[in-house]
Amino acid sequence: MATILHITAHPHDHQTSYSMAVGKAFIDAYREANPNDEVIPIDLYSISVPHIDADVFSGWGKLRGGQDFSSLSKDEQSKVARLGELTDQFVAADKYVFVTPMWNFSFPPIMKAYIDSLCTAGKTFKYTENGPVGLLPGKKALHIQARGGVYSEGPAAAMEMGHRYLSIIMGFFGITDFQGIFVEGHNQFPDKAQQIKEEAIARAKDLAKSF
Ligand SMILES: Cc1cc2nc3c(=O)[nH]c(=O)nc-3n(C[C@H](O)[C@H](O)[C@H](O)COP(=O)(O)O)c2cc1C
């Protein structure tokens, strides 16, 4: 039995969001193909994802200096502990589906905060004499993203920074099996919007059978 995290960084649901609609189609098909797997939804807009702020730095600093966790302030304790929980949940899973809309050439800021919560030396990567080494080899990840224009090819491809960033982070964790499904160009070509969405849903359902 595998555990799959369904991580959504969107304030809306599948009825209004293209990325959420494709994400739901993927997860529904995945559940059907893998009834014994555990799917854990992580709605980044409804859970607590602490930003790395002064409390987190001071809490980490105290722990590094050998102080006991109980000596941290209340805010330091809750933020440091929550960041640890998010990393541990990620490490314990086998597969990941990230669902984001393209916002200003990448993704919503809560997604960056979540990624920051995962980048923990000793858990998702480690430093060695030969540079950083990912600690999550063998896991697989998928990024589903809707974009008003076209970025997977053509003149705007160089401006795309969300999927590329996520790909670098997955590689940093040792996750080399990383794919993308993009619903793109529906704002640029509104007359084709429905077709673009339906094609992405079909690709998602298809991939879900073998993911
Ligand atoms: C805040 C914001 C920023 C956006 N930035 C871009 C962008 O950089 N490039 C683009 O092609 N579309 C951009 N769009 C359009 C969205 O990518 C497009 O509407 C997409 O369908 C959003 O995903 P969703 O349908 O899941 O909400 C932006 C939309 C919003 C609301």
Side-chain angles (χ1 to χ4, degrees), residues 1-4 30 34-40 92-95:
M1 191 191 89
T3 300
I4 178 166
Y30 182 89
N34 304 278
N36 296 322
D37 283 6
E38 185 185 13
V39 179
I40 301 179
D94 305 294
K95 306 176 190 179

Side-chain angles (χ1 to χ4, degrees), residues 59-102:
W60 281 344
K62 287 176 187 173
L63 293 174
R64 261 200 312 273
Q67 287 190 41
D68 200 70
F69 185 77
S70 60
S71 72
L72 272 56
S73 73
K74 226 174 146 193
D75 284 343
E76 289 168 348
Q77 282 192 14
S78 68
K79 291 177 188 179
V80 166
R82 179 66 183 144
L83 290 171
E85 269 171 21
L86 291 170
T87 316
D88 292 343
Q89 180 187 47
F90 194 84
V91 169
D94 305 294
K95 306 176 190 179
Y96 314 95
V97 178
F98 299 95
V99 180
T100 74
M102 175 180 272

